[in-house]
Amino acid sequence: IFRSRETGRAVEEEEQEARAMARRSRSVGTVFVGSAVLFLGASVLKDQLGFAAPPGGQISSTPSTGGTLAGTDKLLQQQQSSSSSSGRVAAAAGVADLTPKQAYITGISWYLMHFVVSIGNDGIMKFLGDSLPAFQIVCLRFSAAAVVLLPVLLTKGREAFKSARLFMHAVRGLLLAVGIGLWCMGLHMMPFASCVVINNTMPFFKMAFAQAILGEKVGKERWLASLAGFIGCLIVFNPTAATFKPQSLVLILSAMCFAMLDIFNKKYSTSETITSMLFYGSVATAVIAAFKAVPTWVPVAGSQLGLIACLGVGANILLFCLLKAFNYVDASATCPYRYTEFILSAIVGFLLFKESPSTSTLLGSCIILPSVIYTALIETREASSEISESSEAAAA
């Protein structure tokens, strides 16, 4: 009897191990397939999406300078060549008059500001998540974001909503909806800290996409600073190997979706009106999220409508800040600053809720902050040297 029990346990353990290996293989396969789909989709649709190189004699709408200032000279040429570009994000007043250091500081300031708005939105979504399904919140959030933009029709008319790339906006909405959906799936599979750590692999994907698709020059400084920030993230959240499950690799696909979304935002921040970027992206995301939200729809209380309206306004402000940041700096230049969100969250928690930061947060900050400062010093120094060399060449 004892031997039969031992044999039964051994067989059961072998079966469990086989099932675990099968799940692990499927998860790894899902990540590779998802990666291939993203790259293949961008390659096949690059002409329709506008990623193709511009014809000879034309100026690319997403200049890549290899430094921090996102195409100031080309933006100036665009402003002079066409008066219709006055409504574009690229036509921000004073962009061409800034020094590389000023442009870098301005762009990164906009990027950090979008984190402040994001922290507020996350707090509201967490509160609403106690009574509403995740996809319903996403659908309501972006529906509200589209609705609050409708008054722009009264002041700027239909011109502000014109876009020649409605398909591109649909892809943006799909990337955002899928990214959020995969994130929610991951939250059900593993602890929150581990989810955050995996999600923060996003800067590495964004730098790879920016180099491969936008042609940005991603120097070793950005890679090293992002790696240091990720190590700081590991210290802050202190995940253990036991908390990771093979199925949680869907979070890597989520990070890839968010990274590709930033590439789209960077690419079209200089050629689409800011209203069209905000409005059509919100509509597409709301429609796609509705397919998942409607079957589990829960009645919304009157007291929740005000919070949903705040989410809509916050979604627009968040994307506005991000588009403004991409108007001044390369998409990859923002990657090392991704990890400052933890520090900003700790500051907000201390100031508003009197929450003392943990020892791990302080230790992680001691790695994140120096890496960010190092990046800022290197980026501004290289941009200044490039401008000096250009001026000397022009003088010669």
Side-chain angles (χ1 to χ4, degrees):
I1 294 173
F2 179 76
R3 288 178 181 176
S4 63
R5 287 178 179 175
E6 288 294 325
T7 303
R9 288 198 199 98
V11 171
E12 185 177 351
E13 289 176 358
E14 289 178 1
E15 291 178 351
Q16 290 177 350
E17 181 64 23
R19 286 194 294 269
M21 291 181 64
R23 287 196 300 268
R24 191 178 298 110
S25 299
R26 287 195 297 269
S27 299
V28 173
T30 300
V31 172
F32 280 113
V33 170
S35 305
V37 168
L38 280 176
F39 277 111
L40 183 62
S43 301
V44 173
L45 300 176
K46 67 178 183 179
D47 291 334
Q48 292 88 337
L49 297 176
F51 285 131
Q58 293 187 11
I59 300 171
S60 171
S61 61
T62 307
S64 177
T65 64
T68 58
L69 184 55
T72 297
D73 294 336
K74 294 182 180 181
L75 289 176
L76 181 59
Q77 294 175 23
Q78 287 177 319
Q79 292 170 0
Q80 294 173 343
S81 63
S82 175
S83 59
S84 64
S85 65
S86 59
R88 309 295 179 184
V89 181
V95 172
D97 298 328
L98 298 179
T99 65
K101 183 176 181 179
Q102 291 172 333
Y104 183 82
I105 293 174
T106 302
I108 296 303
S109 297
W110 279 111
Y111 187 73
L112 295 178
M113 200 179 302
H114 113 277
F115 277 137
V116 176
V117 180
S118 176
I119 292 170
N121 266 17
D122 288 346
I124 296 176
M125 291 187 70
K126 182 177 180 180
F127 178 78
L128 291 174
D130 293 335
S131 54
L132 298 176
F135 273 97
Q136 182 175 343
I137 297 174
V138 173
C139 180
L140 291 171
R141 170 183 174 175
F142 288 98
S143 297
V147 169
V148 298
L149 288 172
L150 293 179
V152 176
L153 282 170
L154 302 176
T155 57
K156 294 187 178 181
R158 295 182 179 179
E159 289 294 323
F161 290 85
K162 280 190 175 181
S163 174
R165 302 181 179 90
L166 293 179
F167 177 71
M168 177 272 296
H169 293 298
V171 175
R172 287 176 60 232
L174 178 63
L175 285 171
L176 182 56
V178 171
I180 292 175
L182 293 173
W183 165 255
C184 293
M185 288 175 59
L187 287 176
H188 289 291
M189 297 179 182
M190 56 192 296
F192 178 74
S194 300
C195 291
V196 172
V197 169
I198 295 179
N199 184 255
N200 275 280
T201 59
M202 189 267 279
F204 300 102
F205 292 116
K206 185 160 74 170
M207 287 187 289
F209 292 157
Q211 187 167 2
I213 298 175
L214 298 180
E216 292 184 1
K217 180 181 177 183
V218 184
K220 64 179 183 299
E221 292 81 9
R222 294 177 184 175
W223 287 102
L224 291 174
S226 297
L227 179 60
F230 184 72
I231 293 173
C233 168
L234 290 174
I235 294 175
V236 170
F237 289 94
N238 191 29
T240 60
T243 62
F244 290 91
K245 298 180 181 179
Q247 302 95 315
S248 65
L249 290 176
V250 297
L251 288 168
I252 294 181
L253 286 179
S254 174
M256 293 176 69
C257 288
F258 290 134
M260 185 62 76
L261 180 61
D262 272 358
I263 299 302
F264 274 74
N265 289 333
K266 169 62 180 176
K267 174 66 182 179
Y268 298 105
S269 64
T270 57
S271 60
E272 288 283 308
T273 63
I274 193 166
T275 307
S276 69
M277 291 289 285
L278 297 175
F279 181 76
Y280 293 114
S282 296
V283 170
T285 305
V287 170
I288 294 170
F291 286 98
K292 188 74 173 178
V294 170
T296 58
W297 195 270
V298 175
V300 180
S303 58
Q304 295 173 322
L305 294 177
L307 293 176
I308 293 171
C310 290
L311 277 179
V313 174
N316 288 330
I317 296 176
L318 189 154
L319 182 55
F320 175 81
C321 293
L322 192 61
L323 293 174
K324 292 290 287 184
F326 287 156
N327 190 35
Y328 291 92
V329 296
D330 291 342
S332 57
T334 63
C335 290
Y337 294 89
R338 163 81 180 183
Y339 305 100
T340 59
E341 182 179 11
F342 310 133
I343 301 174
L344 292 175
S345 299
I347 293 174
V348 171
F350 177 75
L351 295 178
L352 298 183
F353 305 106
K354 305 301 181 183
E355 296 177 350
S356 299
S358 63
T359 303
S360 60
T361 300
L362 295 176
L363 289 175
S365 300
C366 290
I367 296 178
I368 295 173
L369 283 177
S371 66
V372 166
I373 295 172
Y374 166 77
T375 303
L377 292 175
I378 294 297
E379 295 274 4
T380 53
R381 186 188 306 164
E382 288 184 352
S384 299
S385 63
E386 287 177 4
I387 295 297
S388 300
E389 291 175 2
S390 301
S391 299
E392 291 174 1

